[in-house]
Structure formats: C-alpha cells, structure tokens
Amino acid sequence: SLEGNPLEPPFNQVRRQPYGDLAIVAFLDSQAVELDLAGCSFMDLPESLTTHSRELRALNLSDNILHTLPEWSTGFQNLTSLVLDNNRFREFPEEVCLLRSLEVLSISKTEISDISPQIVDLDRLKKLALDSNDIRELPKCLVLMKTLEVLQVSNNKIEELPLSIGNLTNLHVLDVSCNDIEHLPPSLGDLSRLEVLDAKINQLREVPEEIGECDQLRHLNLSNNAIVALPKRFGRLKDLVALKLAANCLLYTSPSPR
C-alpha cells in the first residue's frame, strides 16, 4: 500500500478501489503484459508508461478524461487489445491506426463523429467496438477489413450500411442497433459465418431476401422497426435459436389457395 505518501503523478493517481494496490504494482512492473488503468482520472497519459512499450499486450484506459493520445503511444507495437471507452475524444485518435498488432479495439462512449480511413491498416483486427458515439457514416473502406469477426456500432447516428458489407466474410457478430438505418444491403447474404445480427431500434421497413443465405445465423433481433412483412427466404434460417420481431408493423397474410 502506498496510500498517504506524497507521491507525484501518476503514482498518486493509480489507485483504483478496491484493488488500487494491485493496479500500481502492475504499473511499476515493466514486464507486465496486461495493464488496467481504467478510472485513474488521467487527462494526459504519463510518459512513464513507455516503459511498458515492449512487453504490453493489453491496455485498458477506459473511464478517464483523455482528449487525445500522445505521439509516443504509437510505440506499443506489440499491443493486441486497446480499450479507450468512456473518454473525451471528439476526433478519432489516429495513433491507434499505427498499432498494427491490434486484434481488439474499443472506443465506445466518446464523442467521435467519424472513423479514420486509416483504420484499414489494422490488418489483424478481429473486434471493433464503436458503440455510443456520434458516428453518422461508416467509411466504405471498412469492408476491406476481412479479419473482422465482431463489429459493434450500436447507438450512433448511422443512416446506412456500406453496400458491400458482405465482403466482411469472417464476421460473426454485427450490432447496428439504435441507429437510423432504413435499409439492410442485399450483400448481407454473403456473411456466411454471421451468427448474431442485432438491428433493433432503427427505421427498417423491409428485410432483404438475401438474409436467408446467412445459414449460420442464430440470434436475430429486428424489434422496434417498421417492418411489415418477412421475405420468403426467411424460412431458410433453420439454425435460429432467438428471433425478436416485437414492435414492428407485421401483418398476417393468409396463404394463397393451391
């Protein structure tokens, strides 16, 4: 325990209850591979963090007061997981696009309104979480990130998805809920590995026939939209274990007599 000592920043701040002592021990250990610095009230990252640049694999900086990332943060070339949730970013932190080993990137609950096209340089990225921001458009180049398995962009202001989103052939989870999307692109049917699709609370009026080609789909949530009918090929989704269609405009149509 270092509490009550006249330590200078950042050492007087890295105390998270109830495990504050463990947090500061990890910070002092330059061989640590995981570092949790969430909730430390950082307005700027301490440059002493660079002592971790060689060994660190996972870094959690959520729940701080960061507006930007320093240039030296690009030196964490072995980092595979970076969490920046609930900070004060107003612009996408370009520095993360130079962390080429990243497999998980989460920048949720900030104020960013767009995504840097340079994000395609993260050619190992498997999970991208950008929930609860002010994003209005997904860059078209996003469909080039074929290593993506999880894409979460819920609770933004997105009006449409890229027409060629079907190029993300490794995608297992797609969460576009709580946006302003009116149409799902037909290329959605090319997501042959998709298991979870959450598009609740949008402005959908129809579902593309091609969704029936997503034969590994298990969880589908289309509730709180304005859908009036389901496509005929919907019946091909035989692996579904959860289907949510509440609060739509679905009408029953009796089958035509043979």
Side-chain angles (χ1 to χ4, degrees):
S1 173
L2 298 174
E3 189 143 4
N5 287 288
L7 294 171
E8 295 183 358
F11 304 106
N12 66 336
Q13 298 175 352
V14 188
R15 290 197 300 269
R16 294 179 59 235
Q17 298 298 332
Y19 304 112
D21 300 335
L22 296 179
I24 198 165
V25 168
F27 189 86
L28 293 171
D29 178 12
S30 62
Q31 302 299 310
V33 295
E34 296 185 8
L35 196 56
D36 186 349
L37 297 177
C40 292
S41 300
F42 286 141
M43 297 183 69
D44 298 291
L45 289 182
E47 194 166 355
S48 49
L49 189 60
T50 56
T51 58
H52 293 275
S53 61
R54 179 175 297 181
E55 302 295 334
L56 205 60
R57 299 295 186 273
L59 177 59
N60 185 353
L61 293 170
S62 60
D63 303 306
N64 280 289
I65 318 172
L66 299 173
H67 291 79
T68 60
L69 292 180
E71 290 184 8
W72 52 258
S73 64
T74 60
F76 289 80
Q77 288 299 308
N78 292 318
L79 206 62
T80 60
S81 175
L82 177 59
V83 180
L84 298 170
D85 299 347
N86 199 23
N87 275 282
R88 304 289 176 82
F89 298 109
R90 291 186 176 180
E91 296 182 357
F92 191 92
E94 298 273 355
E95 291 79 7
V96 302
C97 300
L98 297 175
L99 303 177
R100 299 294 296 273
S101 295
L102 277 184
E103 297 179 7
V104 175
L105 175 60
S106 185
I107 315 178
S108 298
K109 299 180 181 178
T110 72
E111 300 176 29
I112 60 175
S113 57
D114 53 22
I115 306 170
S116 170
Q118 302 305 316
I119 198 170
V120 297
D121 293 336
L122 300 178
D123 52 12
R124 300 182 186 180
L125 201 64
K126 295 181 180 179
K127 178 179 178 179
L128 178 59
L130 297 169
D131 306 291
S132 302
N133 287 295
D134 292 322
I135 299 170
R136 295 182 178 275
E137 184 179 8
L138 296 180
K140 295 179 180 180
C141 62
L142 195 70
V143 302
L144 301 176
M145 303 183 69
K146 296 190 176 183
T147 56
L148 273 184
E149 297 178 3
V150 177
L151 177 58
Q152 298 173 198
V153 290
S154 67
N155 198 26
N156 279 283
K157 300 175 182 177
I158 300 169
E159 296 182 357
E160 61 181 6
L161 298 179
L163 292 178
S164 52
I165 196 170
N167 288 348
L168 300 177
T169 51
N170 282 310
L171 209 59
H172 291 261
V173 177
L174 177 59
D175 186 352
V176 295
S177 60
C178 305
N179 279 286
D180 299 314
I181 300 170
E182 295 185 3
H183 304 283
L184 294 176
S187 69
L188 202 68
D190 295 328
L191 301 178
S192 58
R193 298 185 180 181
L194 194 65
E195 297 179 17
V196 178
L197 173 58
D198 192 343
K200 67 177 180 287
I201 314 179
N202 275 282
Q203 299 181 30
L204 300 175
R205 293 185 175 88
E206 58 184 5
V207 184
E209 286 277 355
E210 289 79 4
I211 198 172
E213 307 302 321
C214 300
D215 52 11
Q216 293 193 32
L217 201 59
R218 295 176 58 81
H219 297 266
L220 177 59
N221 191 343
L222 298 172
S223 59
N224 293 86
N225 280 284
I227 300 168
V228 297
L230 299 178
K232 292 181 179 180
R233 278 192 268 178
F234 201 82
R236 296 183 181 183
L237 301 176
K238 296 184 178 180
D239 284 343
L240 275 182
V241 296
L243 173 61
K244 297 182 180 180
L245 295 168
N248 274 286
C249 303
L250 292 172
L251 298 172
Y252 173 73
T253 303
S254 58
S256 302
R258 294 185 179 181

